[in-house]
Amino acid sequence: MTLNDFSPILLDAAAPMINPRDVDKRLPDMIAGGLDAVLATAGAIEDFRTTMEDVAKWLEIERCGARKIKIARSVADIRAAKACGKIAIVLHFQGSDAIEDELDFINVFHACGLRVMQLTYNARNRVGDGCFEITDGGLSKFGRKVIPRMEALSMAVDLAHAGPRTALEATEVASRPLIISHANARALMETPRNVGDDLIRAVAATGGVVGVCAAPFFLTRDGPATLDMLIDHAAYIADLVGPQHVGLGFDFAEENEEDYIYYGYDERYIPMPPWTFPTRIASHAEAGNLESSLRARGFGETEIRGVLGENFLRVFEEIWGH
């Protein structure tokens, strides 16, 4: 089958606000914006037990079956959810702290439905250095074991938030496509959370995808962020490596000062919340604006379908299988 044989999927590859506690509150915006699937942040810098408690809540929601969502473990699950009017939830870790120092904990989380895991968050962990570390020491010995285990389990490796050396070393270790769920082009906006051309090319060479991010401080330091700025990054990456390597990872968040301290944000690059997201793409409710904006920028119809979700699904199908 070709990409155009399917009803198009709109997928957000970074959805930290979608969690068991708030999912009922977030559903109306996702429905209004036409979202079909999100990678929901089920863990980040928490330990095994704390993360497992959150995963267990997702599994209980799935068991009850009362909400218009479906935990997706395959691309077929994502398409089936859309067909029956539900939003697919893919469990995603924004960091690998939850596996602690036990490779076998990856098996446990995979069995519970985890399908995508970032190697690091902003700081150093057992796997490697995050993007805000001064040393940028690259992958650890343990990290070089984590990637093959994830690949053996058909779990997608996510390089968002990783330090440049950590991420580039991951592309050398990996044998399957890699993703960057949410980041923009460093050539257009200089910040450690955005990614350089060398890493974009390396991820594309694996067959992977970069999800452009709506976080305002990854788009501009001067004045309000806009949807056009987000499209600038999509167009830049498409020109650099091809539109088949571009996706969406909005990273919408409502955080407070306590969250800011907890996640170790760096005030040089990320201001204290509250944050104002870009005009015309300030929440999931406005995700429907992407299609016309991509078209106005010269993306073709097949390319637009790819950016909106099919590019990520192509990669996930290759990693997860059917």
Side-chain angles (χ1 to χ4, degrees), residues 84-291:
C84 66
K86 294 185 177 182
I87 294 174
I89 302 292
V90 178
L91 299 186
H92 175 210
F93 285 178
Q94 287 208 42
S96 59
D97 288 35
I99 68 171
E100 300 180 0
D101 58 357
E102 295 288 343
L103 282 177
D104 291 349
F105 284 177
I106 305 174
N107 303 6
V108 175
F109 286 121
H110 181 268
C112 291
L114 182 69
R115 289 297 178 268
V116 184
M117 185 169 75
Q118 279 175 205
L119 298 180
T120 68
Y121 196 58
N122 293 324
R124 177 184 296 127
N125 65 7
R126 294 177 176 91
V127 166
D129 275 4
C131 61
F132 290 153
E133 288 292 344
I134 297 171
T135 55
D136 191 22
L139 284 174
S140 67
K141 285 193 206 177
F142 181 62
R144 290 174 180 273
K145 295 177 182 177
V146 165
I147 292 171
R149 177 63 65 90
M150 291 177 67
E151 291 185 333
L153 291 166
S154 298
M155 186 184 293
V157 177
D158 181 1
L159 304 182
H161 288 267
R165 182 177 170 189
T166 301
L168 285 169
E169 288 182 359
T171 68
E172 297 167 0
V173 172
S175 61
R176 291 190 172 193
L178 298 165
I179 70 165
I180 300 174
S181 59
H182 58 301
N184 293 324
R186 203 160 178 173
L188 300 185
M189 173 63 185
E190 175 62 34
T191 174
R193 261 290 285 119
N194 286 341
V195 292
D197 288 0
D198 54 349
L199 181 56
I200 295 171
R201 289 192 183 99
V203 168
T206 73
V209 175
V210 179
V212 293
C213 179
F217 28 82
F218 304 147
L219 292 170
T220 182
R221 290 191 188 89
D222 304 313
T226 67
L227 174 57
D228 283 342
M229 292 176 182
L230 183 68
I231 303 300
D232 288 343
H233 287 269
Y236 180 88
I237 296 169
D239 288 344
L240 185 69
V241 293
Q244 69 273 26
H245 300 293
V246 184
L248 305 171
F250 295 126
D251 202 24
F252 297 128
E254 291 179 0
E255 299 189 357
N256 55 33
E257 185 174 350
E258 183 178 343
D259 297 321
Y260 190 92
I261 295 168
Y262 176 77
Y263 288 112
Y265 295 128
D266 191 319
E267 62 185 9
R268 293 174 297 173
Y269 311 113
I270 300 177
M272 187 71 71
W275 301 321
T276 302
F277 279 78
T279 56
R280 299 188 62 232
I281 189 65
S283 72
H284 281 132
E286 295 186 311
N289 292 330
L290 264 296
E291 184 173 348

Side-chain angles (χ1 to χ4, degrees), residues 7-15 18 30 33-40 72 74-79 82 87-92 115-116 158 179-182 209-213 230 246-252 281 284 287-288 290 294 304-317 320:
S7 177
I9 295 288
L10 178 54
L11 181 147
D12 175 10
I18 310 306
M30 289 194 286
L35 266 291
D36 299 303
V38 298
L39 270 60
S74 66
V75 172
D77 282 348
I78 292 173
R79 297 199 189 279
K82 179 180 176 69
I87 294 174
I89 302 292
V90 178
L91 299 186
H92 175 210
R115 289 297 178 268
V116 184
D158 181 1
I179 70 165
I180 300 174
S181 59
H182 58 301
V209 175
V210 179
V212 293
C213 179
L230 183 68
V246 184
L248 305 171
F250 295 126
D251 202 24
F252 297 128
I281 189 65
H284 281 132
L290 264 296
L294 288 165
I304 291 170
R305 290 168 64 100
V307 173
L308 294 182
E310 293 294 339
N311 289 338
F312 269 121
L313 292 193
R314 179 193 72 243
V315 171
F316 293 154
E317 191 165 63
W320 302 341

